[in-house]
Amino acid sequence: MAADTAVPEGFAYVDFISQRDGKPGMPYLAQFACARFAGDPASMHGTEGFDCDAMYDVTRNIILGQNVIIPYPDKYWTAEVYPEGLGTDSSVYLFSVER
């Protein structure tokens, strides 16, 4: 959404910036990497043997394996995307990254 767009009732918002501003927390870095998953949703969200769940760990490990910096802890965020709409199974995971 464009800057200063009104937030519809019942929704939350997060501000993003293009470069670190020297302050922890919001606004967060706008850059992100994503991974798209296919398969059994229960397996993608399984937690056994993972730090968080499979989607989180696999996405994080791919990013770090490519020497891309994740802005821990001050500008770090993640998000699950539901390409078929809320209430459907998630198949995309986003991770904030440095440029």
Side-chain angles (χ1 to χ4, degrees):
M1 298 180 136
D4 300 322
T5 299
V7 178
E9 189 172 328
F11 286 81
Y13 72 93
V14 176
D15 287 329
F16 293 101
I17 54 177
S18 60
Q19 295 182 355
R20 284 184 184 263
D21 60 3
K23 301 175 203 164
M26 287 201 312
Y28 295 114
L29 293 177
Q31 296 80 235
F32 64 89
C34 70
R36 183 173 201 96
F37 294 84
D40 175 48
S43 295
M44 290 188 280
H45 289 92
T47 57
E48 189 171 333
F50 295 100
D51 294 335
C52 186
D53 70 15
M55 288 177 67
Y56 176 98
D57 282 21
V58 169
T59 305
R60 179 201 61 208
N61 294 347
I62 291 169
I63 292 166
L64 294 175
Q66 295 176 347
N67 295 317
V68 175
I69 297 170
I70 296 171
Y72 294 123
D74 60 332
K75 294 294 181 183
Y76 158 77
W77 60 269
T78 64
E80 281 190 59
V81 177
Y82 299 85
E84 303 302 320
L86 191 59
T88 62
D89 294 324
S90 170
S91 63
V92 178
Y93 208 86
L94 306 179
F95 242 98
S96 58
V97 297
E98 293 273 1
R99 270 197 170 162

